[in-house]
Coordinates of all heavy atoms in Angstrom, one line a residue:
M1 N 48.9 40.7 184.3 CA 48.2 39.8 183.3 C 49.0 38.5 183.4 O 50.2 38.4 183.1 CB 48.3 40.4 181.9 CG 47.6 39.6 180.9 SD 47.2 40.5 179.4 CE 48.8 40.3 178.5
A2 N 48.2 37.4 183.7 CA 48.9 36.1 183.8 C 48.3 35.2 182.8 O 47.1 34.7 182.9 CB 48.6 35.5 185.2
L3 N 49.0 35.0 181.7 CA 48.5 34.1 180.7 C 48.9 32.7 181.0 O 50.0 32.3 181.3 CB 49.2 34.5 179.3 CG 48.8 35.9 178.8 CD1 49.5 36.1 177.4 CD2 47.3 36.0 178.6
T4 N 47.9 31.8 180.8 CA 48.1 30.4 181.0 C 47.9 29.6 179.7 O 46.9 29.8 179.0 CB 47.1 29.8 182.1 OG1 47.3 30.5 183.3 CG2 47.4 28.3 182.3
N5 N 48.9 28.8 179.3 CA 48.7 28.0 178.1 C 47.7 26.9 178.4 O 47.9 26.1 179.3 CB 50.1 27.4 177.8 CG 50.1 26.6 176.5 OD1 49.1 26.0 176.1 ND2 51.2 26.6 175.8
I6 N 46.7 26.8 177.6 CA 45.6 25.8 177.8 C 45.6 24.7 176.7 O 44.7 23.9 176.6 CB 44.2 26.4 177.9 CG1 43.9 27.3 176.7 CG2 44.1 27.2 179.2 CD1 42.4 27.8 176.7
G7 N 46.6 24.7 175.8 CA 46.8 23.6 174.9 C 46.8 24.0 173.5 O 46.7 25.2 173.1
P8 N 47.1 23.0 172.6 CA 47.2 23.3 171.2 C 45.9 23.7 170.6 O 44.8 23.2 171.0 CB 47.8 22.0 170.6 CG 47.4 21.0 171.6 CD 47.4 21.6 173.0
V9 N 46.0 24.6 169.5 CA 44.8 25.1 168.9 C 43.9 24.0 168.4 O 42.7 24.1 168.4 CB 45.1 26.1 167.8 CG1 45.6 27.4 168.4 CG2 46.0 25.5 166.8
E10 N 44.5 22.9 168.0 CA 43.7 21.8 167.4 C 42.8 21.1 168.4 O 41.9 20.4 168.1 CB 44.6 20.7 166.7 CG 45.6 20.1 167.5 CD 47.0 20.8 167.4 OE1 47.0 22.0 167.1 OE2 48.0 20.1 167.5
N11 N 43.0 21.4 169.7 CA 42.1 20.9 170.7 C 40.8 21.6 170.8 O 39.9 21.2 171.6 CB 42.8 20.9 172.1 CG 43.9 19.9 172.3 OD1 44.2 19.1 171.4 ND2 44.5 19.9 173.5
F12 N 40.7 22.7 170.1 CA 39.5 23.6 170.2 C 38.8 23.8 168.9 O 39.0 24.7 168.2 CB 40.0 25.0 170.8 CG 40.6 24.8 172.1 CD1 42.0 24.7 172.2 CD2 39.9 24.9 173.3 CE1 42.6 24.5 173.5 CE2 40.5 24.7 174.5 CZ 41.8 24.5 174.6
P13 N 38.0 22.8 168.5 CA 37.4 22.8 167.2 C 36.3 23.8 167.1 O 35.7 24.2 168.1 CB 36.8 21.4 167.1 CG 36.6 20.9 168.5 CD 37.7 21.5 169.3
V14 N 36.0 24.3 165.9 CA 35.0 25.3 165.6 C 33.6 24.8 166.1 O 33.3 23.6 165.8 CB 35.0 25.7 164.1 CG1 33.8 26.6 163.8 CG2 36.3 26.3 163.7
G15 N 32.9 25.6 166.8 CA 31.5 25.3 167.1 C 31.3 24.4 168.3 O 30.2 23.9 168.5
K16 N 32.4 24.1 169.0 CA 32.2 23.2 170.2 C 32.9 23.8 171.4 O 33.9 24.5 171.3 CB 33.0 21.8 169.9 CG 32.2 20.9 169.0 CD 32.8 19.5 169.1 CE 32.0 18.5 168.3 NZ 30.9 17.9 169.0
G17 N 32.3 23.5 172.6 CA 32.9 24.0 173.8 C 33.9 23.0 174.3 O 33.7 21.8 174.1
V18 N 34.9 23.5 174.9 CA 35.9 22.6 175.6 C 36.1 23.0 177.0 O 36.3 24.2 177.3 CB 37.3 22.7 174.8 CG1 38.3 21.8 175.5 CG2 37.1 22.3 173.4
R19 N 35.9 22.1 177.9 CA 36.1 22.3 179.3 C 37.6 22.3 179.7 O 38.3 21.3 179.3 CB 35.3 21.3 180.1 CG 35.1 21.6 181.6 CD 34.0 20.7 182.2 NE 33.9 19.4 181.6 CZ 32.9 19.0 180.9 NH1 31.9 19.9 180.6 NH2 32.8 17.8 180.4
V20 N 38.0 23.3 180.4 CA 39.4 23.4 180.8 C 39.5 23.8 182.3 O 38.8 24.7 182.7 CB 40.2 24.4 180.0 CG1 41.6 24.5 180.4 CG2 40.1 24.1 178.5
E21 N 40.4 23.1 183.0 CA 40.7 23.4 184.4 C 41.9 24.4 184.4 O 43.0 24.0 183.8 CB 41.0 22.2 185.2 CG 40.0 21.1 185.2 CD 38.8 21.4 186.1 OE1 38.9 22.2 187.0 OE2 37.7 20.9 185.8
V22 N 41.8 25.5 184.9 CA 42.9 26.5 184.9 C 42.8 27.4 186.2 O 41.7 27.9 186.4 CB 43.0 27.3 183.6 CG1 41.7 28.0 183.3 CG2 44.2 28.2 183.6
G23 N 43.9 27.5 186.9 CA 43.9 28.4 188.0 C 42.9 28.1 189.1 O 42.3 29.0 189.7
G24 N 42.5 26.8 189.3 CA 41.5 26.4 190.2 C 40.1 26.6 189.8 O 39.1 26.5 190.6
K25 N 39.9 27.0 188.5 CA 38.6 27.3 188.0 C 38.3 26.3 186.8 O 39.3 25.8 186.2 CB 38.4 28.7 187.5 CG 38.4 29.7 188.6 CD 38.0 31.1 188.1 CE 37.8 32.1 189.2 NZ 37.4 33.4 188.7
T26 N 37.0 26.1 186.5 CA 36.7 25.4 185.4 C 36.0 26.3 184.4 O 35.0 27.0 184.7 CB 35.7 24.2 185.7 OG1 36.3 23.4 186.7 CG2 35.4 23.4 184.5
I27 N 36.6 26.4 183.2 CA 36.1 27.4 182.2 C 35.7 26.6 181.0 O 36.1 25.4 180.8 CB 37.1 28.4 181.8 CG1 38.4 27.8 181.2 CG2 37.5 29.3 183.1 CD1 39.4 28.9 180.7
A28 N 34.9 27.2 180.2 CA 34.5 26.6 178.9 C 35.0 27.5 177.8 O 34.8 28.7 177.8 CB 33.0 26.5 178.8
V29 N 35.8 26.9 176.9 CA 36.4 27.7 175.8 C 35.7 27.4 174.5 O 35.4 26.2 174.2 CB 37.9 27.3 175.7 CG1 38.6 28.1 174.6 CG2 38.6 27.6 177.1
F30 N 35.4 28.4 173.7 CA 34.7 28.2 172.5 C 35.4 28.8 171.3 O 36.0 29.9 171.4 CB 33.3 28.9 172.6 CG 32.5 28.4 173.7 CD1 32.5 29.0 175.0 CD2 31.7 27.3 173.6 CE1 31.7 28.5 176.0 CE2 30.9 26.8 174.6 CZ 30.9 27.4 175.8
N31 N 35.4 28.1 170.2 CA 36.0 28.6 169.0 C 34.9 28.9 168.0 O 34.1 28.1 167.6 CB 36.9 27.5 168.4 CG 37.5 27.9 167.0 OD1 37.1 28.9 166.4 ND2 38.3 27.0 166.5
T32 N 34.7 30.2 167.8 CA 33.6 30.7 166.9 C 34.3 31.1 165.6 O 34.6 32.3 165.4 CB 32.8 31.8 167.5 OG1 33.6 33.0 167.6 CG2 32.2 31.4 168.8
T33 N 34.5 30.1 164.7 CA 35.2 30.3 163.4 C 36.5 31.2 163.6 O 36.6 32.2 162.9 CB 34.3 30.9 162.4 OG1 33.8 32.2 162.8 CG2 33.2 30.0 162.1
G34 N 37.4 30.7 164.4 CA 38.7 31.4 164.6 C 38.8 32.4 165.7 O 39.9 32.9 166.0
Q35 N 37.7 32.8 166.2 CA 37.7 33.7 167.4 C 37.4 32.9 168.6 O 36.5 32.1 168.7 CB 36.6 34.8 167.3 CG 36.8 35.8 166.2 CD 38.0 36.7 166.6 OE1 38.1 37.2 167.7 NE2 38.9 36.9 165.6
Y36 N 38.3 33.0 169.6 CA 38.2 32.2 170.8 C 37.7 33.0 172.0 O 38.0 34.2 172.2 CB 39.6 31.6 171.2 CG 40.1 30.8 170.1 CD1 41.0 31.3 169.2 CD2 39.8 29.4 170.0 CE1 41.5 30.5 168.2 CE2 40.3 28.6 169.0 CZ 41.2 29.1 168.1 OH 41.7 28.3 167.1
Y37 N 36.8 32.4 172.8 CA 36.2 33.0 173.9 C 36.1 32.0 175.1 O 36.1 30.8 174.8 CB 34.7 33.5 173.6 CG 34.7 34.5 172.5 CD1 34.4 34.1 171.2 CD2 34.9 35.8 172.8 CE1 34.4 35.0 170.2 CE2 34.8 36.8 171.7 CZ 34.6 36.3 170.4 OH 34.5 37.2 169.4
A38 N 36.2 32.5 176.3 CA 36.1 31.7 177.5 C 35.1 32.3 178.5 O 35.2 33.5 178.7 CB 37.5 31.4 178.1
I39 N 34.3 31.4 179.1 CA 33.4 31.8 180.2 C 33.5 30.8 181.3 O 34.1 29.7 181.1 CB 31.9 31.9 179.7 CG1 31.4 30.5 179.2 CG2 31.8 33.0 178.6 CD1 29.9 30.5 178.9
D40 N 33.0 31.1 182.5 CA 32.9 30.1 183.5 C 32.0 29.0 183.0 O 31.0 29.2 182.3 CB 32.2 30.7 184.7 CG 33.1 31.5 185.6 OD1 34.3 31.2 185.6 OD2 32.6 32.5 186.2
D41 N 32.5 27.8 183.2 CA 31.8 26.6 182.6 C 30.5 26.3 183.3 O 29.5 25.8 182.7 CB 32.7 25.4 182.7 CG 32.1 24.2 182.1 OD1 31.6 24.3 180.9 OD2 32.0 23.1 182.7
M42 N 30.4 26.6 184.6 CA 29.2 26.2 185.4 C 28.0 27.1 185.2 O 28.1 28.3 185.4 CB 29.5 26.1 186.9 CG 28.3 25.6 187.7 SD 28.7 25.7 189.5 CE 29.9 24.4 189.6
C43 N 26.9 26.6 184.7 CA 25.7 27.4 184.5 C 25.2 27.9 185.9 O 25.1 27.0 186.8 CB 24.6 26.6 183.8 SG 23.0 27.4 183.7
P44 N 24.9 29.2 186.1 CA 24.5 29.6 187.4 C 23.1 29.1 187.9 O 22.8 29.2 189.0 CB 24.4 31.2 187.2 CG 25.2 31.5 186.0 CD 25.1 30.2 185.1
H45 N 22.3 28.5 187.0 CA 21.0 27.9 187.4 C 21.2 26.7 188.2 O 20.9 26.8 189.4 CB 20.2 27.6 186.1 CG 18.8 27.2 186.4 ND1 18.3 26.1 185.8 CD2 17.9 27.6 187.3 CE1 17.0 25.9 186.3 NE2 16.8 26.8 187.2
R46 N 21.6 25.6 187.7 CA 21.8 24.4 188.5 C 23.1 23.7 188.2 O 23.3 22.5 188.5 CB 20.6 23.4 188.2 CG 19.3 23.9 188.6 CD 19.0 23.7 190.1 NE 17.9 24.5 190.6 CZ 16.6 24.2 190.4 NH1 16.3 23.1 189.8 NH2 15.7 25.0 190.9
G47 N 24.1 24.4 187.7 CA 25.4 23.9 187.6 C 25.8 23.0 186.5 O 26.9 22.3 186.5
A48 N 25.0 23.0 185.4 CA 25.4 22.2 184.2 C 26.6 22.8 183.6 O 27.0 24.0 183.8 CB 24.2 22.1 183.3
S49 N 27.2 22.1 182.6 CA 28.4 22.5 182.0 C 28.0 23.2 180.6 O 27.5 22.5 179.7 CB 29.3 21.3 181.7 OG 30.4 21.7 180.9
F50 N 28.3 24.5 180.5 CA 28.1 25.1 179.2 C 28.9 24.5 178.1 O 28.5 24.5 176.9 CB 28.4 26.6 179.3 CG 27.3 27.4 179.9 CD1 27.5 28.2 181.0 CD2 26.1 27.5 179.3 CE1 26.5 29.0 181.6 CE2 25.0 28.3 179.8 CZ 25.3 29.0 181.0
A51 N 30.1 23.9 178.5 CA 30.9 23.3 177.4 C 30.2 22.2 176.7 O 30.6 21.8 175.6 CB 32.2 22.8 178.0
D52 N 29.2 21.6 177.4 CA 28.5 20.5 176.8 C 27.3 20.9 175.9 O 26.6 20.1 175.4 CB 28.0 19.5 177.9 CG 29.1 18.8 178.6 OD1 30.2 18.7 178.0 OD2 28.9 18.4 179.8
G53 N 27.0 22.2 175.9 CA 25.8 22.7 175.2 C 26.1 23.0 173.8 O 27.2 23.2 173.3
P54 N 25.0 23.0 173.0 CA 25.2 23.3 171.5 C 25.4 24.8 171.3 O 24.9 25.7 172.1 CB 23.8 22.9 171.0 CG 22.9 23.0 172.1 CD 23.6 22.7 173.3
M55 N 26.2 25.1 170.3 CA 26.5 26.5 170.0 C 25.8 27.0 168.7 O 25.6 26.2 167.8 CB 28.0 26.7 169.7 CG 28.8 26.7 170.9 SD 30.4 27.6 170.5 CE 29.8 29.3 170.7
Q56 N 25.4 28.2 168.7 CA 24.9 28.8 167.5 C 25.5 30.2 167.4 O 25.1 31.1 168.3 CB 23.3 28.9 167.5 CG 22.8 29.3 166.2 CD 21.3 28.9 166.1 OE1 20.6 28.9 167.0 NE2 20.9 28.6 164.9
G57 N 26.4 30.4 166.5 CA 27.1 31.7 166.5 C 27.9 31.9 167.7 O 28.8 31.1 168.0
T58 N 27.6 33.0 168.5 CA 28.4 33.2 169.7 C 27.5 32.9 170.9 O 27.8 33.4 172.0 CB 28.9 34.6 169.7 OG1 27.8 35.5 169.6 CG2 29.9 34.9 168.7
T59 N 26.5 32.1 170.7 CA 25.6 31.8 171.9 C 25.7 30.3 172.1 O 25.6 29.5 171.2 CB 24.1 32.2 171.5 OG1 24.1 33.6 171.3 CG2 23.2 31.8 172.7
V60 N 25.8 29.9 173.4 CA 25.8 28.5 173.8 C 24.5 28.3 174.6 O 24.2 29.2 175.4 CB 27.1 28.1 174.5 CG1 27.3 28.9 175.8 CG2 27.1 26.6 174.8
T61 N 23.9 27.2 174.5 CA 22.7 26.9 175.2 C 23.0 25.8 176.3 O 23.6 24.8 176.0 CB 21.6 26.3 174.3 OG1 21.3 27.3 173.3 CG2 20.3 26.0 175.1
C62 N 22.6 26.1 177.5 CA 22.9 25.1 178.6 C 22.1 23.8 178.3 O 20.9 23.9 178.0 CB 22.3 25.7 179.9 SG 22.5 24.5 181.3
P63 N 22.8 22.7 178.4 CA 22.2 21.4 178.0 C 21.1 21.0 179.0 O 20.3 20.1 178.6 CB 23.3 20.4 178.0 CG 24.3 21.0 178.9 CD 24.2 22.5 178.8
L64 N 21.0 21.6 180.2 CA 20.0 21.0 181.1 C 18.6 21.7 181.0 O 17.6 21.0 180.9 CB 20.6 21.2 182.5 CG 20.2 20.2 183.6 CD1 20.4 18.8 183.0 CD2 21.0 20.4 184.8
H65 N 18.6 23.0 181.1 CA 17.3 23.7 181.1 C 17.2 24.8 180.0 O 16.2 25.6 180.1 CB 16.9 24.2 182.4 CG 17.1 23.3 183.6 ND1 18.1 23.3 184.4 CD2 16.4 22.2 183.9 CE1 18.1 22.3 185.3 NE2 17.0 21.6 185.0
G66 N 18.2 25.0 179.2 CA 18.1 25.9 178.1 C 18.5 27.3 178.3 O 18.2 28.1 177.4
A67 N 19.0 27.7 179.4 CA 19.6 29.1 179.5 C 20.6 29.3 178.4 O 21.3 28.3 178.1 CB 20.2 29.3 180.9
T68 N 20.7 30.5 177.9 CA 21.7 30.7 176.9 C 22.8 31.7 177.5 O 22.5 32.5 178.4 CB 21.2 31.4 175.6 OG1 20.5 32.6 176.0 CG2 20.1 30.5 175.0
A69 N 24.0 31.5 177.0 CA 25.1 32.4 177.4 C 25.7 33.0 176.1 O 26.0 32.2 175.2 CB 26.1 31.7 178.3
E70 N 25.9 34.3 176.1 CA 26.6 34.9 175.0 C 28.1 34.9 175.4 O 28.5 35.5 176.4 CB 26.1 36.4 174.9 CG 27.0 37.3 174.1 CD 27.3 36.8 172.7 OE1 26.3 36.6 171.9 OE2 28.5 36.7 172.5
V71 N 28.9 34.1 174.6 CA 30.2 33.8 175.0 C 31.2 35.1 174.9 O 32.2 35.1 175.6 CB 30.9 32.7 174.2 CG1 30.0 31.4 174.4 CG2 31.0 33.0 172.7
R72 N 30.8 36.1 174.2 CA 31.6 37.3 174.2 C 31.4 38.2 175.4 O 32.4 38.9 175.8 CB 31.2 38.2 172.9 CG 31.5 37.5 171.6 CD 31.0 38.2 170.4 NE 29.6 38.4 170.5 CZ 28.8 38.9 169.6 NH1 29.4 39.5 168.5 NH2 27.5 39.0 169.7
T73 N 30.2 38.1 176.0 CA 30.0 39.0 177.1 C 29.7 38.3 178.4 O 29.7 39.0 179.5 CB 28.8 39.9 176.8 OG1 27.6 39.1 176.7 CG2 29.0 40.7 175.5
G74 N 29.3 37.1 178.4 CA 28.9 36.3 179.6 C 27.5 36.5 180.0 O 27.0 36.0 181.0
A75 N 26.7 37.3 179.2 CA 25.3 37.6 179.5 C 24.5 36.3 179.3 O 24.6 35.6 178.3 CB 24.8 38.6 178.5
C76 N 23.7 36.0 180.3 CA 22.9 34.8 180.3 C 21.4 35.1 180.3 O 21.0 36.1 180.9 CB 23.2 33.9 181.6 SG 24.9 33.3 181.6
S77 N 20.6 34.2 179.8 CA 19.2 34.3 179.8 C 18.6 33.5 180.9 O 19.2 32.5 181.3 CB 18.6 33.9 178.4 OG 18.7 32.5 178.2
P78 N 17.3 33.7 181.3 CA 16.6 32.8 182.3 C 16.5 31.4 181.7 O 16.5 31.3 180.4 CB 15.3 33.5 182.4 CG 15.4 34.9 182.0 CD 16.5 34.9 180.9
P79 N 16.5 30.4 182.5 CA 16.4 30.5 184.0 C 17.7 30.8 184.7 O 17.7 30.7 185.9 CB 15.9 29.1 184.3 CG 16.5 28.2 183.3 CD 16.5 29.0 182.0
S80 N 18.8 31.1 184.0 CA 20.0 31.4 184.8 C 19.7 32.7 185.5 O 19.2 33.7 185.0 CB 21.2 31.7 183.8 OG 22.3 32.1 184.5
P81 N 20.0 32.8 186.8 CA 19.7 34.0 187.6 C 20.8 35.0 187.5 O 20.6 36.2 188.0 CB 19.7 33.4 189.1 CG 20.7 32.3 189.0 CD 20.5 31.7 187.7
S82 N 21.9 34.8 186.8 CA 23.0 35.7 186.7 C 23.8 35.5 185.5 O 23.7 34.4 184.9 CB 23.8 35.7 188.0 OG 24.4 34.5 188.2
D83 N 24.7 36.4 185.2 CA 25.6 36.2 184.1 C 26.8 35.4 184.6 O 27.0 35.2 185.8 CB 26.0 37.6 183.5 CG 24.8 38.3 183.0 OD1 23.8 37.7 182.6 OD2 25.0 39.6 182.9
V84 N 27.7 35.1 183.6 CA 29.0 34.4 184.0 C 30.2 35.3 183.6 O 30.1 36.2 182.8 CB 29.1 33.0 183.3 CG1 28.1 32.1 183.8 CG2 28.9 33.2 181.8
E85 N 31.3 35.0 184.3 CA 32.5 35.7 184.0 C 33.0 35.3 182.6 O 32.8 34.2 182.1 CB 33.6 35.3 185.0 CG 33.4 35.9 186.4 CD 33.7 37.4 186.3 OE1 34.6 37.9 185.6 OE2 33.0 38.1 187.0
T86 N 33.7 36.3 182.0 CA 34.4 36.0 180.7 C 35.9 36.1 181.0 O 36.3 36.8 181.9 CB 34.0 37.0 179.6 OG1 34.3 38.3 180.0 CG2 32.5 36.9 179.4
Y87 N 36.7 35.5 180.1 CA 38.2 35.5 180.2 C 38.7 35.7 178.8 O 38.2 35.2 177.9 CB 38.7 34.2 180.8 CG 38.0 33.9 182.2 CD1 36.9 33.1 182.2 CD2 38.5 34.5 183.3 CE1 36.3 32.8 183.4 CE2 37.9 34.2 184.6 CZ 36.8 33.4 184.6 OH 36.2 33.1 185.8
D88 N 39.7 36.6 178.8 CA 40.4 36.8 177.5 C 41.2 35.6 177.0 O 41.9 35.0 177.8 CB 41.3 38.0 177.6 CG 40.5 39.3 177.7 OD1 39.4 39.4 177.3 OD2 41.1 40.3 178.2
V89 N 41.0 35.3 175.7 CA 41.7 34.2 175.1 C 42.6 34.7 174.0 O 42.1 35.5 173.2 CB 40.8 33.1 174.6 CG1 41.6 31.9 174.0 CG2 39.9 32.6 175.7
S90 N 43.8 34.3 173.9 CA 44.6 34.7 172.8 C 45.3 33.5 172.2 O 45.3 32.4 172.9 CB 45.7 35.7 173.2 OG 46.5 35.2 174.3
C91 N 45.9 33.6 171.1 CA 46.5 32.4 170.5 C 47.8 32.9 169.7 O 47.8 34.0 169.2 CB 45.6 31.6 169.6 SG 45.0 32.4 168.2
D92 N 48.8 32.0 169.7 CA 49.9 32.2 168.8 C 49.7 31.1 167.7 O 48.5 30.6 167.5 CB 51.2 32.1 169.5 CG 51.5 30.7 170.1 OD1 50.8 29.8 169.8 OD2 52.4 30.7 171.0
S93 N 50.6 30.8 166.9 CA 50.4 29.9 165.8 C 50.1 28.5 166.3 O 49.6 27.7 165.5 CB 51.6 29.9 164.9 OG 52.8 29.6 165.6
T94 N 50.4 28.1 167.5 CA 50.2 26.7 167.9 C 49.3 26.5 169.2 O 48.7 25.5 169.3 CB 51.6 26.1 168.3 OG1 52.2 26.9 169.3 CG2 52.5 26.1 167.0
S95 N 49.3 27.5 170.0 CA 48.6 27.3 171.3 C 47.6 28.4 171.7 O 47.8 29.5 171.2 CB 49.6 27.2 172.5 OG 50.5 26.1 172.3
L96 N 46.7 28.0 172.6 CA 45.8 29.0 173.2 C 46.3 29.4 174.6 O 46.8 28.6 175.3 CB 44.4 28.5 173.3 CG 43.6 28.3 172.0 CD1 42.1 28.1 172.4 CD2 43.7 29.5 171.1
F97 N 46.0 30.7 174.9 CA 46.3 31.2 176.2 C 45.1 31.9 176.8 O 44.4 32.6 176.1 CB 47.5 32.2 176.1 CG 48.7 31.6 175.5 CD1 48.9 31.5 174.2 CD2 49.7 31.0 176.3 CE1 50.0 31.0 173.6 CE2 50.9 30.4 175.8 CZ 51.0 30.4 174.4
V98 N 44.9 31.7 178.1 CA 43.8 32.4 178.7 C 44.3 33.3 179.8 O 45.3 33.0 180.5 CB 42.7 31.4 179.3 CG1 43.3 30.5 180.4 CG2 41.5 32.1 179.7
D99 N 43.7 34.5 180.0 CA 44.1 35.4 181.0 C 43.1 35.3 182.1 O 41.9 35.7 181.9 CB 44.1 36.8 180.4 CG 44.6 37.9 181.4 OD1 44.8 37.5 182.6 OD2 44.7 39.0 181.0
M100 N 43.5 34.8 183.2 CA 42.6 34.5 184.3 C 42.5 35.7 185.3 O 41.8 35.6 186.3 CB 43.0 33.3 185.1 CG 42.9 32.0 184.3 SD 41.2 31.7 183.6 CE 40.3 31.3 185.1
D101 N 43.2 36.8 185.1 CA 43.2 38.0 186.0 C 41.8 38.7 185.8 O 41.2 38.7 184.8 CB 44.3 38.9 185.7 CG 45.6 38.3 186.2 OD1 45.5 37.3 187.0 OD2 46.7 38.8 185.8
Ligands
FES1 S1 21.4 24.2 184.8 FE1 21.6 25.6 183.1 S2 19.6 26.3 182.7 FE2 19.4 24.9 184.4

């Protein structure tokens, strides 16, 4: 398990996605009222950034054509042709850490 510090908790506001480069990948990190989740940032449909999409609960909507991604599981709706990877996020009192393994 390789935990990577991705920054202070205040960088990850509730209800917004934050794009982070880590381990050669671009992930989108979401704060759903104190629970943190991370998925691949790139929408499998045409490559838009999930981090730029609006959130409702634990679902984010792709800003380009409206595919949704469930941030807890990575399950995506059409027009996305596939789901996305998820990554475990943990936090201590000051920082967030993501497990890219
Ligand atoms: S790029 Fe995301 S739904 Fe098309």
Side-chain angles (χ1 to χ4, degrees):
M1 183 163 83
L3 294 180
T4 302
N5 186 327
I6 55 172
V9 290
E10 56 265 29
N11 286 3
F12 300 90
V14 173
K16 283 193 173 273
V18 178
R19 193 166 29 255
V20 178
E21 305 284 336
V22 57
K25 291 188 172 184
T26 305
I27 62 172
V29 180
F30 301 94
N31 176 353
T32 62
T33 58
Q35 290 291 314
Y36 298 96
Y37 300 95
I39 62 174
D40 281 330
D41 184 49
M42 184 185 289
C43 176
H45 182 227
R46 295 280 164 79
S49 170
F50 278 123
D52 293 336
M55 285 206 79
Q56 189 161 35
T58 57
T59 300
V60 62
T61 300
C62 176
L64 213 48
H65 312 104
T68 60
E70 163 55 59
V71 300
R72 295 173 299 182
T73 64
C76 294
S77 72
S80 175
S82 61
D83 296 340
V84 290
E85 284 290 322
T86 61
Y87 305 94
D88 288 336
V89 182
S90 55
C91 64
D92 62 16
S93 56
T94 58
S95 298
L96 287 193
F97 301 85
V98 66
D99 182 357
M100 297 301 290
D101 286 346

